[in-house]
Amino acid sequence: MADYLVEIVNPKTNEERQVTVSVTELQLARAKRSQDWMAAIQDLARPLIPAGYMPIGRRVAAL
């Protein structure tokens, strides 16, 4: 398991937050094989993102 920090923003209020997503080794391998691994990690974090928020492009960090 690997943990990643995904930064999100509410476009109406410009409020920024952070969401932590745990990724299995298989999910991480699939993300790394894709063209844009950061977007793949953000897609895995979508169920954790509150309504009205969206991921900020290229703001994914390993914890």
Side-chain angles (χ1 to χ4, degrees):
M1 294 288 280
D3 291 335
Y4 282 87
L5 186 70
V6 177
E7 293 192 30
I8 58 175
V9 65
N10 183 333
K12 292 182 180 177
T13 63
N14 288 330
E15 178 187 359
E16 292 187 15
R17 291 188 186 177
Q18 297 174 337
V19 174
T20 303
V21 61
S22 293
V23 181
T24 65
E25 296 299 324
L26 179 61
Q27 290 172 325
L28 182 58
R30 287 181 180 163
K32 294 285 185 174
R33 262 188 273 136
S34 70
Q35 286 183 323
D36 188 358
W37 72 270
M38 288 185 185
I41 298 293
Q42 289 175 339
D43 287 342
L44 293 172
R46 293 248 182 228
L48 303 173
I49 297 176
Y53 283 81
M54 57 188 288
I56 300 174
R58 304 284 186 259
R59 293 221 193 150
V60 175
L63 293 179

